[in-house]
Structures are given as structure tokens and as C-alpha cells.
Amino acid sequence: MKANRMEAFSDGVLAIIITIMVLEFKVPEGHDWYALIELGPKIVSYIFSFVYIGIYWNNHHHLLHMVRTMNGRLMWLNLLLLFWLSLVPFTTAWMGESYFAATPTALYGIVLLLAAFAYWLLQRAIISQHPGDSTFVLAMGRDLKGKLSPVLYLIAALTAYVSSWISGFFFLLVAVIWFLPDKRIEHALRGHQN
């Protein structure tokens, strides 16, 4: 069995997550530009989360192309990733409504940290299907972005109690690091086709 069914299910869940986030926006009571300015924190938190969900969607799509055989372990690890990502709309809304208060911002970082850990577990399980493919295993092992991101999420969560600006910097830094999709998988796929 190929990963197509799991990928389609995941795509649907991620689309619903984005839909839930945008539905959190209520029409402002005012009828001028100031009414929109008051929504600023919600808009900023939505943009962060939309980019993060997009990054996960893009890299998840690439990662699932490396699945050789589907099994229950991969399906459960994928569900674990989707579970943590499904909490992003809640933490996004709380962070935006609280004007980036310390605890909601810290929780946002913790949820992203746990999603990154779940993605890493899924990635490791897929890598374990490639024991004879040393090129692929070596390429995936040099995962600087994957190793750095959880550390930055943890720093973002902890610094939320110092300054939401510092915390936001680390969230932005992770998004910038991952904005371009993980090219290692594309290179590995091209290597298998040659």
C-alpha cells in the first residue's frame, strides 16, 4: 500500500486547520481602518500559523514520497503529527486575542515544539525503511534544520515570559529557515531515478 491515502487524509486535515484559523476572525464592530488595526495581533498570529501549516504541508508532502511500504506505525506517527498541528488554531487564537501574552505565546511554542518532535519521529520511521540506501540515510541524517528548530521553539517558549518580541523573533527565524522546502528529499528522489 502506498502513502497516497495517508497523504490525502493529511492534506484534508491541514486544510481544515487553516479553515478553522480563518474562521476565528470575527467581523470588526467598527467601520473604519482603526477597526482593522485592532485586529493586528490576531492577523499577525494567523500569518505565523498559516506559514507554519504551509511549511508542514510542503515538507510532509515531500517526506511521504519516500515511504516504501505503509504500516500501522507510520499511520499512528502521522496522526500524532496531525494531533499537535490540530492544536495550532487554538493556540493561534489565544495568542492573538491575548495580544501575545506570555502563557499563550509559550503554549504556542510548546505546541510547535511537539509538532516538530512528531515530524522527526515520522521522518525516523520512514528513514528506517531505507536500511540499504546509505545515500538517502546519510542525506537525511544531516538534518541541521530539523535539529535546530526544536531548540528555537523551546527558546521561543521560554523567552515568552521575558518578551513576546524576542519569542516572535525565534518563531520568525524558524519559519525563515524552513520557508524553502527540504531539498534533501528531492535530491534523494532524483538519485533513485538515475
Side-chain angles (χ1 to χ4, degrees):
M1 182 171 77
K2 289 286 186 187
N4 296 354
R5 187 167 177 222
M6 187 167 79
E7 185 177 8
F9 175 77
S10 301
D11 287 350
V13 171
L14 295 175
I16 290 169
I17 288 170
I18 288 174
T19 303
I20 291 170
M21 287 189 313
V22 81
L23 289 175
E24 285 293 320
F25 284 112
K26 305 297 180 221
V27 176
E29 292 184 23
H31 304 291
D32 55 14
W33 292 109
Y34 183 74
L36 285 178
I37 292 171
E38 287 183 342
L39 290 178
K42 288 183 180 183
I43 292 169
V44 170
S45 64
Y46 171 78
I47 291 169
F48 265 126
S49 297
F50 185 90
V51 169
Y52 275 120
I53 297 299
I55 287 168
Y56 271 103
W57 174 73
N58 200 326
N59 286 289
H60 184 266
H61 170 77
H62 283 79
L63 183 62
L64 290 187
H65 281 282
M66 298 309 299
V67 172
R68 291 197 170 162
T69 57
M70 280 301 301
N71 57 45
R73 180 176 175 218
L74 289 182
M75 291 195 294
W76 280 110
L77 289 173
N78 191 65
L79 280 173
L80 180 64
L81 171 63
L82 294 176
F83 170 77
W84 292 116
L85 291 177
S86 74
L87 294 177
V88 169
F90 168 74
T91 56
T92 299
W94 195 25
M95 190 170 64
E97 288 177 15
S98 71
Y99 287 75
F100 299 95
T103 300
T105 304
L107 182 62
Y108 184 76
I110 291 167
V111 166
L112 291 176
L113 171 65
L114 293 170
F117 181 66
Y119 184 87
W120 179 81
L121 289 174
L122 179 62
Q123 186 179 33
R124 294 286 109 197
I126 293 171
I127 289 172
S128 72
Q129 294 184 348
H130 296 261
D133 189 353
S134 60
T135 306
F136 174 72
V137 172
L138 285 173
M140 296 307 289
R142 293 186 304 254
D143 187 12
L144 180 60
K145 293 192 301 187
K147 293 173 184 167
L148 183 60
S149 298
V151 173
L152 296 176
Y153 286 138
L154 181 60
I155 292 171
L158 294 174
T159 58
Y161 290 96
V162 176
S163 166
S164 60
W165 289 98
I166 296 171
S167 189
F169 168 78
F170 287 106
F171 291 136
L172 182 61
L173 184 58
V174 175
V176 168
I177 289 171
W178 281 100
F179 194 74
L180 292 176
D182 195 340
K183 297 290 185 189
R184 296 171 303 151
I185 295 172
E186 289 178 8
H187 294 304
L189 284 171
R190 269 191 236 114
H192 283 287
Q193 293 170 350
N194 294 334

